[in-house]
Amino acid sequence: MTNTLDEAALAVVVKQVLLAESRLRMDPADLRDDEPLNGGLLRVTSMGFLGMLIKLEDVLGIELPDDIFVGRTFTTVDDVVQAVRGRVA
Amino acid sequence: MSELPKQWQSVLPHLGHTLPEDVAPPSSGEGVSVNLPMELVRQSLSQREFWDIPEPVLEQYRRYRPTPLWRADAFARAVGARVPIYVKYEGGNVSGSHKFNTALAQAYYYRKAGVTELVTGTGAGQWGTALAAACAWFGLRCTVFMVAGSLRRKPYRGTLMRLLGATLHESPSPLTEVGRAVSADRPGNSLSVAIGEAVAYAAERDGCAFAIGSGETYSILHQSVVGTEALDQLGALDAKVDAVVGCVGAGSNFGGIALPPFAAAVREGRPAPLLLAAESSTTPKLTRGVYAYDRTDSAGRGPMEAMYTVGSEFAIPDSHSAGLRYHGAAKLLSAMRFHGQIAATAVGQADALSAAHTFVRTEGVLPAPESGHALAAAARLAVDGVRDRDADHRTTEGVLVCVSGHGLLDLGAYDQLLAGELHDEIPDEQLIRLATANLGRPR
Ligand SMILES: Cc1ncc(COP(=O)(O)O)c(C=O)c1O
């Protein structure tokens, strides 16, 4: 169903979930792609990140790959979009 | 003939409450990472009830499951029980305990995620042995930090782990900062140091991950195979029980035997059986601890979780039941305790080993000292009832008790029992209060 999401729409979904996780009320369009996950604006902890990934799986109807965690650090909003994009395409 | 369950069963959708969120460790400010295979993350957080056991894990389970369940009439008679006691026995696999049920699952998921080596900390050695065996089966390297005092007492645990291909280090070790920071005059909490060492060691190596045997929600899920199987076996015997007893280290054993019967009762709209957790009187988190946010390891790299705890810095008195010497109870069980869904009783090691002694002479199986705590609690319940939090608990139909492991590598402890040299050291109220004074309470 959501498999037809284009990249822009996908980024919006990811940003919505990230903003909710950081308890921020702002327009996803105003969130920059290179915004740090753990910086002045967003406050995504490793713990919150796990819950967020599960939420993204639910919302997008996808399963993220098991090896998503091996030796990989997510630093910006775009890192998350890229990880999810591979599964939606 | 009962069958091996094909699915694990989660209690989360039947709780009637949600678990307090974990509190993240101090951030390094450098992005975030996922430190678990995704399926373990899902199993911890999702409300899904049934989870297919992957075929490669089932294939391993089939080598030792279904495990035996029987009506222990000779034991019941010997202790003067008023109701039948049914025993589920998890000691009959190469690792000697229930820990193998989750070790296999974890090794499978980590392997699938591309990990090449698993690292862990172990107290009693059962978890280390289980992980070593599971890693051998699934082609992973395995490194184990074992509490030094426990290894000295049970050197053959070490031999078994090495036979299974694991690399073994005594903890505290000089290999990690956590180990080096432990000073002789302030020994601290030995199991949480061993776990802290394993976390630190894994963090510094590529392809290497830290695996934990108990406490996390996914390990309790994997242990549900025990309770699900037991329900099926009780059904085949046409047996009724209104109480389930298990010993608690961090809680996966107890969760495994007790939560499937709880979930079945909720699903069918029946009153749940009494769930009685038997803890060691050296670590009385459920009966004398506080419900607070505490660390799961001594390195403090993991999150803080809401748990019943005697404090992660609490210097736990010595005992032969190293597997129960953990400062806190799993957040899942703790939340259930907080909501009145779990009763608890503390058992001293003299009582525990005496019950185990009676058991080997009547039923022909030598239980691990940890499992002796469950047998002592089951006997107490079946004879006089148990008092907990101002309530008297009795059973009128029957008791199901899990004997989580065998005691064939704990003969030193049984030697002391025979020599009349077993003593119980009960922690001082003041020390527990001190060790928990600064912990934050869940809202
Ligand atoms: C034989 C045995 N029983 C029970 C336990 C406690 O296990 P859990 O952490 O699952 O409560 C252990 C832990 O090492 C054990 O070895």
Side-chain angles (χ1 to χ4, degrees):
Chain A
M1 37 157 198
T2 38
N3 285 4
T4 50
L5 271 189
D6 63 29
E7 171 130 9
L10 184 66
V12 171
V13 173
V14 170
K15 287 176 179 180
Q16 279 169 341
V17 172
L18 279 166
L19 288 168
E21 175 58 31
S22 300
R23 300 199 165 79
L24 288 175
R25 286 172 154 268
M26 68 181 254
D27 187 342
D30 294 336
L31 186 62
R32 296 168 50 123
D33 291 344
D34 61 357
E35 184 68 39
L37 294 174
N38 210 336
L41 184 62
L42 295 175
R43 298 225 170 271
V44 179
T45 63
S46 285
M47 305 301 317
F49 191 54
L50 298 184
M52 214 197 77
L53 292 178
I54 300 296
K55 214 168 291 166
L56 278 174
E57 287 193 335
D58 282 351
V59 173
L60 298 171
I62 56 168
E63 283 220 340
L64 292 166
D66 259 318
D67 62 2
I68 194 168
F69 81 106
V70 180
R72 184 153 168 194
T73 303
F74 297 80
T75 322
T76 64
V77 170
D78 194 49
D79 289 345
V80 185
V81 176
Q82 294 314 320
V84 174
R85 191 181 61 156
R87 304 307 284 190
V88 178
Chain B
M1 180 66 192
S2 57
E3 283 187 28
L4 173 62
K6 304 282 188 303
Q7 293 180 310
W8 292 304
Q9 190 187 356
S10 170
V11 76
L12 294 178
H14 297 298
L15 286 182
H17 48 89
T18 49
L19 305 185
E21 274 182 36
D22 296 347
V23 174
S27 154
S28 59
E30 286 164 12
V32 291
S33 51
V34 183
N35 57 359
L36 281 177
M38 280 307 291
E39 191 69 351
L40 296 181
V41 176
R42 289 181 204 109
Q43 292 175 352
S44 301
L45 297 176
S46 160
Q47 291 288 311
R48 194 201 303 172
E49 180 169 17
F50 292 103
W51 299 79
D52 289 341
I53 304 175
E55 183 51 40
V57 177
L58 271 181
E59 202 180 305
Q60 299 299 332
Y61 278 1
R62 276 189 209 105
R63 308 205 303 177
Y64 67 98
R65 309 205 67 90
T67 62
L69 176 140
W70 72 97
R71 183 170 151 151
D73 283 339
F75 175 74
R77 225 175 297 122
V79 299
R82 289 172 296 99
V83 295
I85 297 178
Y86 296 89
V87 170
K88 177 77 170 159
Y89 180 54
E90 288 295 312
N93 64 71
V94 63
S95 79
S97 82
H98 69 289
K99 305 267 172 168
F100 203 34
N101 297 323
T102 184
L104 286 167
Q106 292 189 38
Y108 168 78
Y109 289 124
Y110 278 102
R111 164 81 200 251
K112 198 158 160 257
V115 162
T116 54
E117 175 175 1
L118 286 177
V119 187
T120 198
T122 191
Q126 274 100 332
W127 165 241
T129 316
L131 194 66
C135 283
W137 283 205
F138 283 110
L140 292 160
R141 283 200 306 277
C142 181
T143 297
V144 178
F145 288 84
M146 179 160 173
V147 173
S150 184
L151 183 56
R152 238 169 281 134
R153 223 174 240 174
K154 300 197 275 179
Y156 296 135
R157 271 274 156 217
T159 309
L160 187 49
M161 282 183 247
R162 289 199 307 269
L163 274 175
L164 289 163
T167 304
L168 186 63
H169 302 292
E170 276 190 17
S171 169
S173 81
L175 295 174
T176 69
E177 212 170 290
V178 180
R180 289 190 293 270
V182 177
S183 60
D185 54 323
R186 204 177 145 275
N189 176 332
S190 51
L191 178 54
S192 99
V193 170
I195 292 173
E197 287 210 81
V199 172
Y201 183 93
E204 285 161 12
R205 283 165 180 77
D206 282 345
C208 199
F210 165 73
I212 191 154
S214 179
E216 293 305 314
T217 305
Y218 56 79
S219 62
I220 298 176
L221 174 76
H222 303 153
Q223 297 296 351
S224 70
V225 69
V226 178
T228 304
E229 214 174 80
L231 282 179
D232 188 37
Q233 291 167 315
L234 287 173
L237 293 176
D238 217 5
K240 286 218 161 36
V241 299
D242 56 357
V244 186
V245 183
C247 63
V248 174
S252 72
N253 167 61
F254 179 71
I257 190 75
L259 299 185
F262 174 88
V266 176
R267 201 179 324 105
E268 292 157 22
R270 289 183 281 114
L274 170 70
L275 311 184
L276 179 63
E279 63 182 4
S280 161
S281 59
T282 60
T283 38
K285 52 240 178 189
L286 294 170
T287 53
R288 296 173 62 201
V290 299
Y291 189 44
Y293 275 104
D294 200 358
R295 303 197 300 202
T296 50
D297 70 86
S298 151
R301 296 200 194 196
M304 307 268 276
E305 298 183 0
M307 61 174 91
Y308 276 94
T309 176
V310 289
S312 56
E313 297 289 317
F314 178 73
I316 299 166
D318 200 17
S319 116
H320 283 293
S321 294
L324 305 186
R325 290 179 84 245
Y326 188 65
H327 63 275
K331 64 183 164 195
L332 170 54
L333 297 183
S334 291
M336 292 183 74
R337 170 81 170 153
F338 183 71
H339 288 274
Q341 294 165 325
I342 287 175
T345 190
V347 178
Q349 61 175 350
D351 276 1
L353 271 75
S354 300
H357 186 199
T358 306
F359 194 78
V360 70
R361 302 217 302 184
T362 51
E363 300 292 335
V365 167
L366 181 64
E370 290 85 356
S371 315
H373 290 71
L375 287 170
R380 232 180 245 179
L381 183 63
V383 177
D384 295 322
V386 164
R387 193 165 174 79
D388 173 50
R389 285 185 168 169
D390 300 325
D392 288 312
H393 297 292
R394 288 180 192 291
T395 148
T396 55
E397 294 183 327
V399 178
L400 169 65
V401 57
C402 185
V403 171
S404 48
H406 73 67
L408 294 172
L409 293 174
D410 301 85
L411 294 179
Y414 287 105
D415 244 353
Q416 283 200 329
L417 175 77
L418 292 175
E421 288 167 1
L422 270 190
H423 304 290
D424 283 305
E425 222 183 295
I426 308 292
D428 189 74
E429 193 62 39
Q430 195 64 28
L431 291 179
I432 296 179
R433 236 177 291 146
L434 264 177
T436 52
N438 296 323
L439 302 177
R441 303 301 161 102
R443 268 158 306 193

